[in-house]
């Protein structure tokens, strides 16, 4: 989408593109392009993290007093858009975009002094302990318990769908510290060292064949009371604050734009039914492409609404739920369209050695059918994690009838 940028934003965009050209290596681009999960595995994501850290751009969304860049919402949008379109991997957000802002807002002076520098540098790699086998979309019905024992909590329970828990050395956890009539009450937000005795991780292999998510068990894990963020029993406030970042953070439309460009390149290649034909020349494919293009543009316009809200300091509220729902459902449809267009070439066990598939025609690189089908299969979870679409619609409807 064309946006009229102020002169200072145009200059900033040129700086971003220059940085990406100089520091985004071919290996990191390739890892990002061929990754079928949500986030690229270390060490490629860490290489990019360190490049941003050295530049001073790793925590661009944080307040300046905690290491933020002082960027305007528009500058953040420019960076996030250009980085994604150039093939940069998403920096693992659990530390930078989730627990980091929570500590900035609710953390004790000690927590800010100790954890924030370690998050910025990448010394700590975090995962998120929210979902449970019996408390997915209904997050507040969680059963993991934290019982006070002197200057420690004793944590017992389990978490599931924990992204990159097998890489992480730290986890932030919602645990019930007291039974209350309203289940949103009595929940606390704890920071737990993954090396603590009693913590164990079991891998979960996704439909796409990736090991990205896990089940994490806590068997009488001792957690220092100083690792409680905010007040005991008030952790639901931190959870709601964090979920605004998870659902409305970044530039959600960009992933759909990148997926749409992949879809276009699939259609441009000669994989039609007749010799020498291209799928993009078929009328029904053109209609479908036009429909998806229009929806991506509409989502980009909603992204601009988020930018405007951030510009005025307004809380994202249900706008984050709206965009999260639309973005995740649209991305699923685009990835599915790519798989359908590839037909038999999308089979995971067939290496497709035909023309190159790439986000950019300027730098085409091989991409096999398994990567496309893997993204589609793993993307089926996109309407569940971060808040299921059904729950988001309920949140939106309640806001509309106020």
């Amino acid at each position: 989408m064309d946006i009229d940028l102020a002169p200072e934003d145009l200059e900033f965009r040129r700086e971003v593109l220059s940085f990406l050209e100089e520091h985004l290596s071919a290996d990191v681009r390739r890892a990002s392009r061929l990754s079928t999960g949500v986030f690229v595995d270390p060490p490629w994501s860490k290489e990019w993290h360190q490049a941003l850290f050295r530049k001073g751009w790793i925590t661009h969304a944080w307040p300046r007093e905690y290491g933020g860049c002082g960027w305007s919402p528009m500058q953040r949008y420019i960076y996030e858009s250009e980085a994604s379109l150039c093939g940069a991997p998403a920096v693992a957000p659990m530390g930078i975009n989730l627990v980091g802002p929570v500590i900035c807002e609710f953390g004790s002076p000690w927590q800010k002094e100790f954890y924030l520098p370690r998050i910025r540098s990448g010394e700590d790699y975090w995962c998120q302990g929210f979902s449970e086998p019996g408390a997915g979309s209904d997050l507040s019905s969680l059963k993991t318990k934290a019982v006070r024992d002197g200057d420690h909590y004793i944590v017992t329970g389990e978490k599931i769908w924990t992204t990159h828990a097998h890489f992480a050395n730290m986890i932030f956890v919602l645990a019930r510290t007291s039974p209350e009539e309203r289940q949103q009450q009595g929940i606390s937000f704890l920071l737990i060292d993954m090396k603590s005795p009693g913590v164990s991780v079991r891998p979960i292999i996704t439909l796409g064949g990736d090991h990205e998510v896990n089940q994490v068990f806590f068997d009488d894990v001792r957690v220092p009371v100083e690792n409680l963020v905010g007040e005991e029993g008030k952790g639901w406030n931190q959870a709601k604050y964090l979920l605004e970042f998870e659902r409305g953070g970044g530039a959600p439309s960009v992933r759909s734009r990148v997926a749409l460009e992949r879809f276009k390149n699939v259609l441009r290649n000669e994989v039609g039914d007749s010799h020498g034909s291209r799928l993009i020349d078929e009328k029904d494919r053109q209609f479908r492409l036009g429909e998806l293009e229009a929806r991506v543009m509409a989502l980009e316009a909603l992204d601009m609404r988020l930018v405007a809200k951030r510009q005025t300091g307004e809380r994202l509220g249900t706008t984050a739920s709206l965009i999260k729902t639309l973005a995740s459902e649209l991305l699923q449809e685009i990835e599915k369209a790519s798989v359908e267009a590839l037909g038999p070439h999308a089979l995971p066990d067939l290496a497709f050695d035909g023309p190159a598939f790439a986000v950019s025609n300027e730098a085409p690189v091989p991409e096999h059918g398994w990567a496309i089908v893997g993204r589609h299969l793993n993307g089926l979870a996109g309407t569940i994690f971060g808040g299921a679409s059904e729950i988001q619609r309920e949140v939106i409807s309640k806001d509309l009838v106020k």
Side-chain angles (χ1 to χ4, degrees):
M1 185 174 65
D2 292 330
I3 303 171
D4 290 330
L5 297 176
E8 60 270 21
D9 291 330
L10 286 171
E11 178 59 33
F12 176 74
R13 181 175 180 270
R14 284 190 286 269
E15 182 183 2
V16 169
L17 291 173
S18 176
F19 173 78
L20 291 168
E21 182 178 0
E22 182 177 355
H23 295 282
L24 184 58
S25 71
D27 285 344
V28 172
R29 288 177 191 256
R30 184 174 187 276
S32 178
R33 185 177 61 254
L34 296 182
S35 174
T36 58
V38 179
F39 307 114
V40 175
D41 287 354
W44 299 282
S45 63
K46 287 188 175 182
E47 177 183 329
W48 183 232
H49 183 118
Q50 289 303 311
L52 292 170
F53 175 64
R54 290 190 296 269
K55 178 68 172 176
W57 285 2
I58 189 63
T59 49
H60 58 267
W62 289 16
R64 186 186 291 273
E65 60 265 34
Y66 299 121
C69 301
W71 290 352
S72 69
M74 178 56 75
Q75 287 175 320
R76 287 166 53 189
Y77 178 83
I78 290 169
Y79 166 75
E80 289 158 356
S81 298
E82 297 298 345
S84 296
L85 293 171
C86 284
V91 173
M94 287 73 76
I96 294 294
N97 296 338
L98 300 183
V99 73
V102 168
I103 294 174
C104 289
E105 181 72 14
F106 299 96
S108 67
W110 173 82
Q111 290 168 351
K112 293 174 182 177
E113 182 180 356
F114 182 76
Y115 286 113
L116 295 183
R118 296 167 65 92
I119 293 173
R120 288 197 303 269
S121 68
E123 183 175 355
D124 284 338
Y125 195 93
W126 290 79
C127 58
Q128 177 179 6
F130 276 21
S131 295
E132 297 185 3
S137 297
D138 186 14
L139 181 60
S140 63
S141 66
L142 57 88
K143 304 299 182 185
T144 295
K145 295 189 301 183
V147 179
R148 183 72 179 264
D149 180 28
D151 58 357
H152 285 79
Y153 289 102
I154 308 300
V155 179
T156 304
E158 59 185 287
K159 300 293 180 177
I160 200 167
W161 315 122
T162 312
T163 302
H164 282 196
H166 53 307
F167 296 124
N169 68 304
M170 293 294 300
I171 183 172
F172 54 95
V173 170
L174 289 181
R176 189 165 299 282
T177 45
S178 63
E180 304 288 345
E181 184 176 347
R182 292 190 62 209
Q183 62 185 19
Q184 290 88 351
Q185 299 174 341
I187 293 173
S188 297
F189 194 105
L190 298 172
L191 312 177
I192 301 178
D193 189 330
M194 291 289 286
K195 296 180 181 178
S196 302
V199 178
S200 58
V201 178
R202 179 184 299 169
I204 298 174
I205 306 303
T206 66
L207 281 174
D210 302 278
H211 176 198
E212 186 172 50
V213 295
N214 306 269
Q215 194 165 6
V216 181
F217 299 90
F218 303 93
D219 185 13
D220 293 334
V221 178
R222 297 183 66 83
V223 180
V225 171
E226 63 185 4
N227 281 20
L228 168 71
V229 179
E231 297 181 52
E232 182 179 296
K234 304 295 184 181
W236 194 244
N237 294 329
Q238 287 91 297
K240 290 189 296 182
Y241 184 80
L242 181 149
L243 288 171
E244 281 194 15
F245 284 88
E246 184 173 20
R247 293 168 183 168
S253 64
V254 176
R255 290 189 67 198
S256 294
R257 172 60 65 187
V258 171
L260 187 67
E261 294 305 314
R262 279 197 301 263
F263 178 47
K264 290 178 181 177
N265 282 327
V266 170
L267 297 183
R268 290 188 185 109
N269 286 280
E270 297 178 3
V271 292
D273 294 332
S274 59
H275 295 293
S277 68
R278 299 188 309 163
L279 294 175
I280 202 168
D281 297 324
E282 299 174 4
K283 293 297 183 183
D284 59 334
R285 305 286 185 183
Q286 294 173 2
F287 181 84
R288 181 60 169 154
L289 178 59
E291 177 197 5
L292 294 173
E293 178 79 51
R295 291 173 61 185
V296 170
M297 292 175 66
L299 191 60
E300 289 171 334
L302 281 176
D303 261 350
M304 288 298 97
R305 181 177 296 182
L306 275 186
V307 170
K309 280 179 174 286
R310 292 191 178 105
Q311 196 77 43
T312 60
E314 186 179 349
R315 295 292 292 272
L316 303 183
T318 52
T319 304
S321 293
L322 176 64
I323 290 185
K324 193 276 177 184
T325 303
L326 294 175
S328 58
E329 293 179 358
L330 176 56
L331 184 61
Q332 284 182 349
E333 289 195 45
I334 297 171
E335 300 289 14
K336 180 181 179 182
S338 293
V339 172
E340 290 174 342
L342 280 173
H345 296 299
L347 292 175
D349 58 344
L350 291 180
F352 179 54
D353 296 322
F357 300 145
V359 172
S360 170
N361 288 331
E362 296 178 2
V365 287
E367 181 172 313
H368 299 301
W370 62 263
I372 293 177
V373 77
R375 273 191 293 267
H376 166 60
L377 291 173
N378 288 335
L380 297 175
T383 48
I384 300 174
F385 64 70
S389 291
E390 293 79 5
I391 299 300
Q392 300 312 306
R393 285 183 166 85
E394 183 175 351
V395 170
I396 296 165
S397 64
K398 286 180 178 179
D399 183 67
L400 291 175
V401 298
K402 284 182 180 178

